Amino acid sequence: MILTALGIWIGFITVSPTATGGLPTGLATGLGIWTAISALISLFVGAWFAARMSGVAGRFDGAANGATVWATSIFLGALLSSFTSLLGVGSLLGFRLGGAGTGDILGALGLTALPNIPADQVAAIRSFAVNASGWFLLGSLLSLAAALLGGYVGARRREVRITPPRP
């Protein structure tokens, strides 16, 4: 969360809108690279910590702990982004929540929907979404590898001690 907040802060202070009011070309790439780097760092450290603190020993068990850390982060990220998308973007585009007869969030707040978007801006938004989703896929796969490696490295070694029986 700290790395994500740092990336958002840096993005907001360094990116300026284009002359036509569209999205900057490199924003999706920069966002994707930062997301991948922060995921690699945080999931490696989180998986290492989970493997080190677990009560089991062995490299395979450490890697399994790493995979669990990765899956939990993906699940929580998807849950959070779905919830915010439902309340944010869905209401901005005029989607109805709760079935027929219910208004959207903007309507409930007395605000109007978005105006018609020109074709060139739709193309820019589409390009942004394609770039961002590609970077997300690459970052997810690399973060899985980082989590597996972190769990593998952080696992304790198995030691088998055989003590002779007492006479």
Side-chain angles (χ1 to χ4, degrees):
M1 295 300 291
I2 292 171
L3 290 174
T4 301
L6 177 65
I8 290 171
W9 177 70
I10 290 172
F12 278 138
I13 65 171
T14 59
V15 172
S16 58
T18 62
T20 60
L23 300 170
T25 308
L27 182 62
T29 304
L31 175 68
I33 290 171
W34 181 258
T35 302
I37 290 172
S38 64
L40 289 173
I41 293 169
S42 62
L43 288 173
F44 178 84
V45 171
W48 181 88
F49 187 76
R52 181 59 69 179
M53 293 292 125
S54 69
V56 297
R59 301 288 188 199
F60 178 78
D61 294 333
N65 283 331
T68 303
V69 167
W70 176 80
T72 303
S73 72
I74 292 293
F75 173 74
L76 292 176
L79 187 67
L80 181 63
S81 65
S82 296
F83 181 71
T84 56
S85 294
L86 178 66
L87 293 180
V89 175
S91 66
L92 289 176
L93 297 177
F95 296 142
R96 305 260 179 210
L97 301 175
T102 60
D104 61 328
I105 293 176
L106 286 179
L109 295 174
L111 302 172
T112 60
L114 290 176
N116 292 334
I117 301 173
D120 60 335
Q121 285 187 350
V122 170
I125 292 170
R126 182 182 180 281
S127 174
F128 178 85
V130 167
N131 287 337
S133 60
W135 278 107
F136 174 76
L137 176 63
L138 179 63
S140 296
L141 294 175
L142 289 176
S143 66
L144 172 60
L148 291 173
L149 181 64
Y152 183 82
V153 170
R156 297 178 186 273
R157 297 185 191 269
R158 261 188 221 274
E159 292 184 17
V160 178
R161 294 184 188 175
I162 301 174
T163 56
R166 293 187 179 191

